[in-house]
């Protein structure tokens, strides 16, 4: 079959697997803004608004028949973001390990095979910083996440092990079948229209929700002592980096993340500042993941001449109002939330 998905009127085609999810739904919007014809695939539609995909297929990609069904024509770009996914409350409890490994591995095995059979070359895979060795992330002030530090492998979760296996799977298909695979290792992506409650949400969304739900002068709960560190990348920059990598002539794997590392306590205080609230913090036991993690952007600067530039504060300033409105709409906000929010610095 032809390797180009461009149709007669010159419109390029892309498929986004995981298009019902947070990053996937934003990626669909970005591709549509560029004039692509986009097919989205997921088990569910986007949670927080209608999809803008030209075609959206509800399909379980653990079934190879479904993968062949959605890869029914040439596509210029394939984005494989579908996975069994969640925040620390989902990944680090141990209760979801079998599902995470089984479901995500099947999706990747099936999608690669379907693309290979269709002679589709250009496929992006979203890996995760969770594949980095635990022993390099024990010091919250000085974590090591240079790309070459991945081996010897020692991820701190089965989620990370599956990501590492799937990276190798994509690289093998690239070597053996001449596929142009691209691998990005995402570091804690956040922003509007992401899951904000229910156990699968990530730290920024969870803390925005807690701050929004708590009356001024109250207190919020934080898992652990709050000195664990992370960096967080705003979703628009994640999408920009993903598209840039996919269209480059370089495979990766490469970090797609921010180098602005903060403690979880600092993250909470930043959100309180944006909300204009003074809240106490009560530290409680909970699933944590590694002590420290930050993106190392030396390689992406060198290879792509690009790195994220937006500050964490700027991203949170767009995310908090969105979550506050969700909390209000869900009837979970304190009474004063109906008043206009004060401007925090």
């Amino acid at each position: 079959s032809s390797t180009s998905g461009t149709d007669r009127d010159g419109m390029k085609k892309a498929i986004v697997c995981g298009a019902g999810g947070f990053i996937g739904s934003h990626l669909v919007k970005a591709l549509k803004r560029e004039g692509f014809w986009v097919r989205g695939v997921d088990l569910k539609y986007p949670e927080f608004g209608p999809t803008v995909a030209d075609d959206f297929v509800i399909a379980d990609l653990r079934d190879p028949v479904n993968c062949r069904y959605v890869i029914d024509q040439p596509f210029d770009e394939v984005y494989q973001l579908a996975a069994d996914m969640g925040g620390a409350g989902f990944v680090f409890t141990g209760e979801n390990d079998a599902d995470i490994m089984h479901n995500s591995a099947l999706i990747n095995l099936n999608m690669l095979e379907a693309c290979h059979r269709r002679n589709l070359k250009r496929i992006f895979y979203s890996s995760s910083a969770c594949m980095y060795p635990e022993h390099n992330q024990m010091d919250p002030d000085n974590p090591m996440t240079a790309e070459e530090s991945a081996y010897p492998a020692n991820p701190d979760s089965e989620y990370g092990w599956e990501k590492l296996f799937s990276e190798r799977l994509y690289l093998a298909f690239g070597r053996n079948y001449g596929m142009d695979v691209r691998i990005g290792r995402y570091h804690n992506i956040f922003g509007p229209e992401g899951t904000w409650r229910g156990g699968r949400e990530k730290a920024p969304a969870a803390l925005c929700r807690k701050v929004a739900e708590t009356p001024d002068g109250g207190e919020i709960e934080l898992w652990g002592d709050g000195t664990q560190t992370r960096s967080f990348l705003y979703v628009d920059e994640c999408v920009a980096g993903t598209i840039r990598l996919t269209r480059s002539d370089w495979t990766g794997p490469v970090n797609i993340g921010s180098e602005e590392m903060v403690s979880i306590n600092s993250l909470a205080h930043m959100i309180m500042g944006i909300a204009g609230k003074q809240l106490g913090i009560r530290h409680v036991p909970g699933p944590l993941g590694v002590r420290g993690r930050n993106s190392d952007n030396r390689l992406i600067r060198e290879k792509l001449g690009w790195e994220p530039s937006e500050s964490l504060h700027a991203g949170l300033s767009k995310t908090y109002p969105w979550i506050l409105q969700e909390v209000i709409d869900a009837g979970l906000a304190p009474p004063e939330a109906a008043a206009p929010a004060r401007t925090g610095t």
Side-chain angles (χ1 to χ4, degrees), residues 133-213:
E134 184 175 25
H135 54 254
N136 288 338
Q137 302 173 90
M138 304 300 269
D139 178 354
D141 301 317
N142 195 28
M144 155 71 95
T145 59
E147 283 83 356
E148 72 271 12
S149 72
Y151 298 94
N154 182 28
D156 73 325
S157 63
E158 302 299 2
Y159 173 79
W161 278 108
E162 188 278 323
K163 288 293 189 186
L164 198 58
F165 162 77
S166 290
E167 284 190 8
R168 299 189 70 96
L169 177 70
Y170 280 82
L171 293 170
F173 268 74
R175 286 194 307 273
N176 293 163
Y177 299 130
M179 295 172 74
D180 291 322
V181 300
R182 301 288 180 262
I183 301 169
R185 292 171 177 165
Y186 289 167
H187 288 246
N188 299 316
I189 315 304
F190 78 100
E193 297 179 23
T195 302
W196 57 275
R197 60 173 170 175
R200 288 188 184 230
E201 69 276 16
K202 306 290 189 59
L207 289 172
C208 284
R209 181 195 76 237
K210 290 176 183 183
V211 169
E213 288 175 350

Side-chain angles (χ1 to χ4, degrees), residues 115-302:
C115 288
H116 168 50
R117 288 187 182 197
R118 267 278 167 201
N119 200 24
L120 301 190
K121 299 295 192 190
R122 186 64 53 116
I123 180 167
F124 170 87
Y125 170 57
S126 60
S127 186
S128 164
C130 291
M131 46 65 61
Y132 282 113
E134 184 175 25
H135 54 254
N136 288 338
Q137 302 173 90
M138 304 300 269
D139 178 354
D141 301 317
N142 195 28
M144 155 71 95
T145 59
E147 283 83 356
E148 72 271 12
S149 72
Y151 298 94
N154 182 28
D156 73 325
S157 63
E158 302 299 2
Y159 173 79
W161 278 108
E162 188 278 323
K163 288 293 189 186
L164 198 58
F165 162 77
S166 290
E167 284 190 8
R168 299 189 70 96
L169 177 70
Y170 280 82
L171 293 170
F173 268 74
R175 286 194 307 273
N176 293 163
Y177 299 130
M179 295 172 74
D180 291 322
V181 300
R182 301 288 180 262
I183 301 169
R185 292 171 177 165
Y186 289 167
H187 288 246
N188 299 316
I189 315 304
F190 78 100
E193 297 179 23
T195 302
W196 57 275
R197 60 173 170 175
R200 288 188 184 230
E201 69 276 16
K202 306 290 189 59
L207 289 172
C208 284
R209 181 195 76 237
K210 290 176 183 183
V211 169
E213 288 175 350
T214 306
D216 204 357
E219 66 176 8
I220 61 170
E221 283 190 352
L222 207 61
W223 288 347
D225 61 11
T227 62
Q228 65 270 33
T229 54
R230 292 291 185 275
S231 68
F232 300 95
L233 182 65
Y234 190 68
V235 64
D236 290 358
E237 297 208 285
C238 170
V239 167
T242 296
I243 291 173
R244 184 175 286 248
L245 173 63
T246 301
R247 294 177 189 163
S248 77
D249 57 4
W250 180 53
T251 295
V254 67
N255 292 322
I256 297 180
S258 164
E259 288 186 322
E260 185 186 345
M261 189 169 75
V262 294
S263 72
I264 302 301
N265 283 332
S266 301
L267 175 68
H269 285 295
M270 195 179 288
I271 295 167
M272 290 176 208
I274 291 165
K277 286 184 179 181
Q278 295 281 330
L279 303 174
I281 295 177
R282 184 169 68 256
H283 296 101
V284 299
L288 299 174
V290 293
R291 288 299 295 162
R293 181 179 292 137
N294 192 21
S295 188
D296 182 328
N297 288 350
R298 288 174 296 183
L299 192 60
I300 200 168
R301 280 197 294 269
E302 175 196 328

